[in-house]
Amino acid sequence: MKRTRVYDALNAESATPELLIKGWVRTKRDSKGFSFLEINDGSCLKNIQVVIDHTPEIEAVLENVGTGASVSILGELVESPGKGQKWEVRGKAVEMLGFADPETFPLQKKRHSDEFLRTIAHLRPRTNKYGAMFRIRSELSWAVHRFFHEKGFCYVHTPIITGSDCEGAGEMFRVTSLGFEDLKKNKEEQLEKDFFGKQSHLTVSGQLPAEMLALALGGVYTFGPTFRAENSNTPRHAAEFWMVEPEVAFYDLHDNMDLSEEMIKFLISHVLDKCAGDIELFAKFVDKSLMSTLENILKEPFERLPYTDAVELLKNCKKSKDFEYKPEYGIDLQTEHERYLAEEHFKKPVVVYDYPVEIKPFYMRLNDGGKTVAAMDVLVPRIGELIGGSQREERLDVLERRINELGLNPEEYWWYLDSRRFGTAPHSGFGMGFERMLMMITGVTNIRDVIPFPRTPNNLDF
């Protein structure tokens, strides 16, 4: 017989004389002559209750069934006389598929701290919170693809291994086929023996190759893992994370802002519609202001202001003296500044644009006057920066000058410069941290809790 998912059983339109349920036991209660089992198979937040009468054969199986065990239940779907759910299963037969020792199974019926659950990341998806989190993550992934597909964008795959540094930050993981002893020898000689014959790294962004595809296909996006070798133990940073990166030909900075706002609102609406039960868990137990925050983001147009105005606002606000980092022109905004703008001053998302040229990468378009670039950051409540993007520099002479000013090697970007030699066109794009979007949607405050198996300094388990 084909298995019925718990989600489908709980949402059935009528009773079923025979069905097969398989899942993990959340609780078991024994009474005289029968037992209650709460079964969850990961298809939804709710468990389904199984009531099964004792027979010698069934008692022999149930004796070894405890929390964490996986079971197969054959029975009928009937109306539940108890409160809380419409249906329950009247069990006729039970088979234990996988034993879980009740003395050593770490997920008992109590609340566990996030810190503890990170140490058992391989088991935490079986909890209510993390089962809900990873269902939301799945649905949000699909929403990203749906948004761009409906707008006619092409989904493109950009390299994970790269020879160029998009950000120019130098915080990249090295990729090599050489052994440790070889790496200690003469650098130039060993590079020739390495797999690619040059230094290679894990990518920090798919932007540069995505630009090439946008300048052929019009609108594209890439959605995949990116890597930063930052030794940063903060709640917002991980060494491996996912990025959503659209690039669009013939878009200017304002088109870019419009796209980012439209995407954020679409993703929130999609998840609220498709994951209502899972989101409710986070609104109840993680952040009681979650729903009002998300509804406000959907309702209000995003504020837009130039970087210069943002710095002046921060310097003159009442909270200025309390900032750990004093806001100054020519310095990137800190998280405390970003959150003040989005949470306290405007009380909604803010798009800060036109940043000083000195603090932004070479590929951002130089504005008239040469002091600022057409960059933008989207700041949201509780997170700070969610999106960073820009109009890209399409003028060959300006781009070559910027590469040289920053001490980069033009030869490494020969292919990138070719796109400006042959049919250059205005274009724009941005990158959104997928995990930060998840943090905003769920109210979770640590990036380690929105990734199944986080990669952070000194953490490579699982």
Side-chain angles (χ1 to χ4, degrees):
M1 179 182 289
K2 186 178 180 181
R3 176 177 75 96
T4 299
R5 296 189 310 159
V6 168
Y7 175 86
D8 296 322
L10 291 173
N11 289 279
E13 294 184 357
S14 61
T16 304
E18 194 170 61
L19 84 166
L20 183 65
I21 293 286
K22 296 182 181 182
W24 292 271
V25 176
R26 289 294 178 86
T27 62
K28 184 185 79 167
R29 290 183 291 118
D30 295 319
S31 293
K32 188 174 182 180
F34 60 93
S35 293
F36 292 98
L37 300 177
E38 292 283 335
I39 306 296
N40 188 286
D41 66 356
S43 60
C44 62
L45 182 63
K46 292 182 178 179
N47 308 323
I48 194 163
Q49 179 172 273
V50 176
V51 184
I52 189 163
D53 291 331
H54 291 167
T55 66
E57 294 80 11
I58 287 174
E59 280 191 288
V61 175
L62 290 180
E63 185 178 348
N64 294 309
V65 169
T67 301
S70 64
V71 295
S72 173
I73 306 285
L74 181 66
E76 60 178 322
L77 189 69
V78 299
E79 288 192 26
S80 177
K83 294 182 179 180
Q85 63 184 34
K86 182 178 180 181
W87 303 108
E88 67 181 25
V89 174
R90 177 68 63 177
K92 298 176 183 177
V94 58
E95 177 187 359
M96 185 165 70
L97 303 175
F99 175 72
D101 185 348
E103 297 297 322
T104 58
F105 183 60
L107 296 174
Q108 296 301 318
K109 193 178 180 182
K110 64 176 183 178
R111 295 193 69 173
H112 299 283
S113 70
D114 291 325
E115 290 76 16
F116 168 71
L117 291 172
R118 287 174 206 145
T119 68
I120 53 167
H122 57 306
L123 295 175
R124 68 177 178 170
R126 296 197 205 173
T127 65
N128 284 342
K129 179 179 179 180
Y130 287 95
M133 172 59 73
F134 300 134
R135 281 189 297 272
I136 291 171
R137 185 178 178 113
S138 172
E139 193 62 42
L140 185 64
S141 299
W142 159 240
V144 168
H145 291 298
R146 181 186 164 197
F147 174 77
F148 287 110
H149 181 77
E150 290 180 357
K151 296 185 75 66
F153 281 54
C154 288
Y155 174 39
V156 298
H157 301 146
T158 54
I160 298 296
I161 301 174
T162 181
S164 58
D165 180 359
C166 176
E167 298 296 331
E171 295 166 330
M172 304 177 75
F173 286 104
R174 173 82 187 274
V175 175
T176 180
S177 61
L178 299 175
F180 183 72
E181 291 300 320
D182 290 327
L183 290 171
K184 293 194 295 185
K185 298 175 183 177
N186 182 279
K187 182 178 178 180
E188 294 303 319
E189 290 181 10
Q190 295 311 307
L191 277 179
E192 295 177 8
K193 297 179 184 178
D194 210 345
F195 188 89
F196 294 105
K198 61 183 292 188
Q199 277 206 22
S200 53
H201 306 87
L202 295 178
T203 186
V204 299
S205 169
Q207 177 202 317
L208 302 189
E211 282 186 56
M212 304 303 98
L213 290 156
L215 291 171
L217 301 174
V220 305
Y221 73 102
T222 182
F223 178 20
T226 53
F227 308 85
R228 300 282 171 91
E230 295 177 327
N231 190 13
S232 180
N233 270 304
T234 78
R236 301 185 337 136
H237 294 89
E240 177 182 297
F241 55 98
W242 284 62
M243 289 274 283
V244 178
E245 297 180 286
E247 291 290 330
V248 197
F250 314 114
Y251 261 35
D252 63 17
L253 183 65
H254 295 284
D255 296 321
N256 213 27
M257 294 182 196
D258 292 342
L259 182 67
S260 66
E261 180 171 346
E262 185 182 356
M263 183 189 72
I264 290 171
K265 291 183 175 182
F266 178 92
L267 296 180
I268 293 173
S269 295
H270 181 98
V271 169
L272 290 180
D273 179 46
K274 301 296 184 181
C275 302
D278 289 329
I279 287 291
E280 185 181 354
L281 179 148
F282 291 95
K284 185 175 181 180
F285 296 109
V286 175
D287 181 359
K288 295 189 184 300
S289 66
L290 180 63
M291 294 308 297
S292 60
T293 299
L294 296 178
E295 288 164 2
N296 187 60
I297 293 173
L298 293 175
K299 179 179 64 176
E300 294 285 337
F302 292 5
E303 186 70 30
R304 300 181 183 186
L305 77 161
Y307 166 88
T308 303
D309 294 351
V311 170
E312 286 304 307
L313 188 158
L314 290 164
K315 290 171 70 172
N316 296 320
C317 72
K318 292 181 179 179
K319 197 174 179 179
S320 180
K321 62 181 182 301
D322 299 323
F323 289 137
E324 181 179 355
Y325 299 94
K326 298 305 176 186
E328 294 290 344
Y329 185 88
I331 299 175
D332 232 335
L333 301 182
Q334 299 295 315
T335 302
E336 60 180 341
H337 306 147
E338 296 167 347
R339 291 189 59 177
Y340 172 79
L341 291 172
E343 291 174 26
E344 299 184 44
H345 188 82
F346 293 106
K347 295 182 171 58
K348 62 180 180 178
V350 182
V351 186
V352 177
Y353 64 96
D354 286 353
Y355 281 78
V357 64
E358 297 85 5
I359 60 175
K360 291 297 181 181
F362 71 92
Y363 52 76
M364 295 187 173
R365 194 181 200 279
L366 198 64
N367 288 327
D368 293 343
K371 293 184 178 181
T372 63
V373 291
M376 65 153 201
D377 288 337
V378 180
L379 317 178
V380 296
R382 293 191 302 97
I383 302 299
E385 182 190 339
L386 175 64
I387 283 175
S390 72
Q391 184 172 339
R392 313 312 189 187
E393 182 56 76
E394 85 279 9
R395 297 164 295 187
L396 177 62
D397 58 332
V398 179
L399 187 60
E400 287 179 323
R401 187 171 76 245
R402 290 286 294 134
I403 287 174
N404 288 322
E405 286 174 355
L406 292 173
L408 302 174
N409 183 0
E411 293 180 6
E412 292 185 3
Y413 298 94
W414 66 269
W415 53 275
Y416 188 71
L417 294 169
D418 261 6
S419 67
R420 275 61 171 178
R421 292 189 180 96
F422 308 123
T424 189
H427 60 287
S428 300
F430 61 77
M432 181 190 78
F434 186 66
E435 282 76 22
R436 290 192 183 181
M437 186 71 187
L438 273 166
M439 291 167 69
M440 184 184 75
I441 284 180
T442 61
V444 167
T445 57
N446 197 311
I447 194 171
R448 294 165 178 81
D449 300 329
V450 299
I451 306 176
F453 305 106
R455 296 292 179 247
T456 52
N458 300 312
N459 183 16
L460 198 59
D461 289 337
F462 316 111

